[in-house]
Amino acid sequence: MGRTQQFELRLAERMSRLGTENAFQVLGRARELERRGKDVIHLEIGEPDFDTPSNIVHAAVKALHSGWTHYGPSAGYPELRETIAEEVSRTRGVRVGADEVVVVPGGKPIIFFSILALLDEGDEVLYPNPGFPIYESMIRYVGGRPIPIRLEEERDFAFDAGEFSRLITDRTRMIILNSPENPTGGILSKNDLEQVAAAIGNRDIFVLSDEIYSRLVFAGSHHSILSVAGLQDRTILLDGFSKTYAMTGWRMGYGVMRSDLAGHIARLMTNSNSCTASFTQMAGVEALRGDQSSVEGMRDEFRRRAEMFVSGLNRIEGFTCRMPRGAFYAFPNIQRTGWKSKELADALLVQAGVACLSGPSFGEFGEGYLRFSVANSMENLNRALERISSWAEKNIQH
Ligand SMILES: Cc1ncc(COP(=O)(O)O)c(C=O)c1O
């Protein structure tokens, strides 16, 4: 019980426009049910269930013992910025310098800072829907206008590139891309990206390219808009360590952008976090330069789990699910169950003991879908399938 307050809490008006990430709320509810004795399988949170590879942990411990425990530069240590610049130059086939890299605590701050730095009130931003909820939340928070780009199942959740030309206006300031995509597992092909670039043409529009799942592509290779000729000066690449190296709790990610903008983003860092933790940055150098076999091992394991889980879902009455092309989520269509997404997700949590997210947690075009994270053991995924299946037998009409 909270204390009785003498003063009413008066928040700034903009707080009414700030959204949230439903995953953390569902996790809270699931934990509450667990405290009351219910057994819950957690498929709601999007984080690798693996431990951080030990070479990275050792590098952090070594850094702690060697005095990497002080404030560092707001944009990150030169050692890590150079390593990231080399990595991005190699993987995206462009020349990137260390002065174009800003290291931040997680991938998320790049979304926050880019939007804060570039958007004025009324500016329009095109963003994927269903998509990561923080995009819309932040656009609204700064008084921008979110313009959703609908991702359709029939296109394997790639977008209709032609729609860009229709949706771009004189007020468009930014386009957000996310590939591989959360929650759908869709990916953007080289051709998709070239079409987006053609739609942008010579306009002064920034692309925020969220590539946090870039190393989790199940078939074919990852493509970045940074590689498309003429786009580098107008692209902010977001990538990081959370998903690739199972480092969600370390809080470290980065943005790659033209150096003048990087200076302004670093100024936002000075005003907020001061810097990213110093010893974790030394571990970041090891993550990028060290042995990569664990990254490939985790990706292959996510693919195996996704294949098993998706085929299990397809055997359940009312569920149909496509195999994701990347990331680690299954996004089944549940329209034939006759249930609304939110009610179904609630029932699965409370009655079946399986925590997942409803499609509309990712925007209005997510209605009719659920999101399950497959970043859990095969055993738990199998148990979840059994629970959903027996729940569906009792509650879904044939
Ligand atoms: C699409 C997308 N972008 C960014 C992030 C944020 O990553 P981080 O934990 O590194 O801040 C997530 C995390 O779930 C994500 O799914």
Side-chain angles (χ1 to χ4, degrees), residues 24-92:
F24 290 99
Q25 286 169 349
V26 174
L27 177 66
R29 259 193 87 199
R31 292 249 186 273
E32 181 54 39
L33 287 170
E34 285 174 317
R35 262 193 297 279
R36 287 194 258 133
K38 185 152 186 84
D39 182 55
V40 178
I41 302 170
H42 290 274
L43 305 184
E44 75 278 46
I45 272 276
E47 70 166 340
D49 54 319
F50 301 104
D51 290 333
T52 306
S54 60
N55 62 314
I56 302 173
V57 175
H58 286 309
V61 172
K62 192 168 158 223
L64 273 170
H65 287 300
S66 316
W68 292 92
T69 50
H70 299 274
Y71 287 132
S74 294
Y77 279 103
E79 293 88 329
L80 180 57
R81 293 174 80 195
E82 271 155 30
T83 308
I84 292 168
E86 280 164 24
E87 166 81 4
V88 171
S89 302
R90 189 178 59 78
T91 52
R92 273 58 169 206

Side-chain angles (χ1 to χ4, degrees), residues 99-383:
D99 58 342
E100 295 172 293
V101 176
V102 187
V103 180
V104 292
K108 248 182 199 169
I110 290 296
I111 304 172
F112 198 89
F113 293 153
S114 312
I115 288 178
L116 274 179
L118 292 171
L119 250 61
D120 277 320
E121 229 165 272
D123 283 348
E124 294 176 359
V125 183
L126 274 50
Y127 72 103
N129 187 323
F132 190 46
I134 300 305
Y135 306 142
E136 187 179 333
S137 166
M138 280 307 302
I139 299 164
R140 287 192 191 281
Y141 187 63
V142 301
R145 277 195 64 205
I147 312 286
I149 298 177
R150 185 179 193 146
L151 301 183
E152 285 169 324
E153 189 182 350
E154 296 67 42
R155 294 178 181 276
D156 241 349
F157 297 110
F159 47 66
D160 173 1
E163 226 191 304
F164 273 95
S165 317
R166 284 198 299 282
L167 294 175
I168 291 176
T169 72
D170 291 346
R171 293 307 311 251
T172 309
R173 185 73 188 105
M174 185 185 277
I175 293 175
I176 302 178
L177 303 178
N178 176 212
S179 178
E181 216 247 355
N182 174 10
T184 63
I187 60 172
L188 298 175
S189 66
K190 194 160 174 265
N191 184 44
D192 290 330
L193 297 170
E194 277 163 2
Q195 282 185 269
V196 176
I200 295 173
N202 276 329
R203 293 183 180 86
D204 185 10
I205 292 174
F206 262 95
V207 178
L208 172 58
S209 185
D210 184 343
E211 302 178 24
I212 197 90
Y213 298 100
S214 62
R215 301 280 294 276
L216 290 170
V217 175
F218 296 147
S221 43
H222 171 69
H223 296 285
S224 170
I225 196 152
L226 198 58
S227 321
V228 178
L231 258 284
Q232 191 171 350
D233 279 356
R234 289 171 289 169
T235 297
I236 301 164
L237 166 75
L238 179 167
D239 205 336
F241 299 82
S242 301
K243 318 283 176 176
T244 305
Y245 298 100
M247 289 173 73
T248 47
W250 293 62
R251 308 313 301 141
M252 186 163 52
Y254 55 85
V256 176
M257 65 206 80
R258 50 192 280 173
S259 59
D260 50 359
L261 178 58
H264 294 293
I265 300 293
R267 200 151 53 94
L268 283 166
M269 272 296 286
T270 310
N271 276 269
S272 51
N273 301 271
S274 294
C275 61
T276 306
S278 296
F279 60 94
T280 61
Q281 292 188 55
M282 294 306 111
V285 173
E286 171 60 25
L288 291 172
R289 293 217 168 132
D291 180 19
Q292 301 295 304
S293 56
S294 49
V295 176
E296 283 139 34
M298 287 190 273
R299 180 203 56 207
D300 292 347
E301 181 60 22
F302 288 138
R303 179 177 40 217
R304 283 220 311 274
R305 293 174 185 179
E307 278 165 356
M308 185 282 288
F309 194 71
V310 164
S311 68
L313 284 177
N314 280 319
R315 286 193 293 272
I316 297 173
E317 184 72 30
F319 284 63
T320 52
C321 191
R322 284 173 188 244
M323 178 63 194
R325 290 166 174 249
F328 41 60
Y329 307 106
F331 196 64
N333 182 326
I334 50 89
Q335 285 157 24
R336 286 195 298 110
T337 62
W339 285 62
K340 289 287 213 189
S341 299
K342 169 95 176 55
E343 282 76 46
L344 184 54
D346 284 349
L348 289 179
L349 173 60
V350 177
Q351 295 167 24
V354 178
C356 67
L357 298 184
S358 74
S361 311
F362 301 90
E364 69 262 45
F365 297 128
E367 182 52 58
Y369 298 86
L370 296 179
R371 191 197 79 171
F372 295 89
S373 165
V374 297
N376 208 319
S377 65
M378 280 285 194
E379 192 197 341
N380 279 340
L381 290 169
N382 267 312
R383 283 171 58 226

